[in-house]
């Protein structure tokens, strides 16, 4: 994903999380906030140390990014989204990660 699609700053993460619009399933938690400044959505990904070592965390982040890339055309624009991985995500395949992300974004009404 391009850098313009990413949320990196801690202040932006906290703003979105404090808006308290969250949805979850067994593998992911999604926070979102409407942002009319950008013509497209932006995503922040958080994978904590409970998930595993650095190799495992980076693999999970790659799977999440690939799933978002596949769903890019269906995700609502003008949204800032934070995806937090839960420990159950370890060992899931790419297709499982994609279906779980699609499910939780559907719960949040962020997917067309």
């Amino acid at each position: 994903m391009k850098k313009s699609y990413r949320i990196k700053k801690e202040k932006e993460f906290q703003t979105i999380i404090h808006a308290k619009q969250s949805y979850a399933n067994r593998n992911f938690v999604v926070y979102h906030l409407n942002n009319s400044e950008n013509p497209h959505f932006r995503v922040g990904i958080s994978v904590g140390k409970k998930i595993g070592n650095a190799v495992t965390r980076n693999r999970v982040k790659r799977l999440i990014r690939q799933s978002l890339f596949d769903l890019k055309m269906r995700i609502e624009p003008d949204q800032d989204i934070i995806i937090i991985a839960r420990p159950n995500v370890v060992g899931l395949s790419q297709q499982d990660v994609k279906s779980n992300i699609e499910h939780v974004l559907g719960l949040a009404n962020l997917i067309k």
Side-chain angles (χ1 to χ4, degrees):
M1 291 181 50
K2 294 180 182 178
K3 286 188 179 183
S4 63
Y5 284 85
R6 295 184 188 165
I7 298 172
K8 288 290 219 176
K9 295 180 182 173
E10 179 67 22
K11 186 176 181 180
E12 293 174 340
F13 267 79
Q14 293 304 321
T15 302
I16 296 166
I17 289 174
H18 283 28
K20 297 183 180 178
Q21 295 179 352
S22 67
Y23 298 88
N25 62 13
R26 290 181 180 222
N27 298 312
F28 298 103
V29 179
V30 169
Y31 290 89
H32 71 93
L33 182 65
N34 191 7
N35 183 4
S36 59
E37 295 176 11
N38 290 322
H40 53 76
F41 68 93
R42 295 187 312 157
V43 176
I45 299 172
S46 176
V47 181
K49 287 189 176 182
K50 289 183 180 179
I51 303 295
N53 61 11
V55 174
T56 305
R57 293 193 307 269
N58 285 327
R59 179 182 181 277
V60 169
K61 285 188 265 188
R62 282 194 310 270
L63 292 174
I64 293 170
R65 272 191 229 110
Q66 181 61 43
S67 299
L68 290 170
F69 183 78
D70 293 344
L71 297 169
K72 182 167 79 170
M73 299 308 290
R74 296 179 54 204
I75 296 175
E76 292 288 335
D78 300 340
Q79 294 290 325
D80 285 346
I81 303 168
I82 293 179
I83 297 178
I84 301 172
R86 289 184 166 173
N88 292 341
V89 78
V90 176
L92 292 180
S93 68
Q94 171 64 39
Q95 187 60 35
D96 293 336
V97 170
K98 183 179 175 183
S99 66
N100 277 290
I101 288 177
E102 191 172 3
H103 174 256
V104 76
L105 290 176
L107 290 175
N109 292 323
L110 296 175
I111 210 162
K112 298 176 187 172

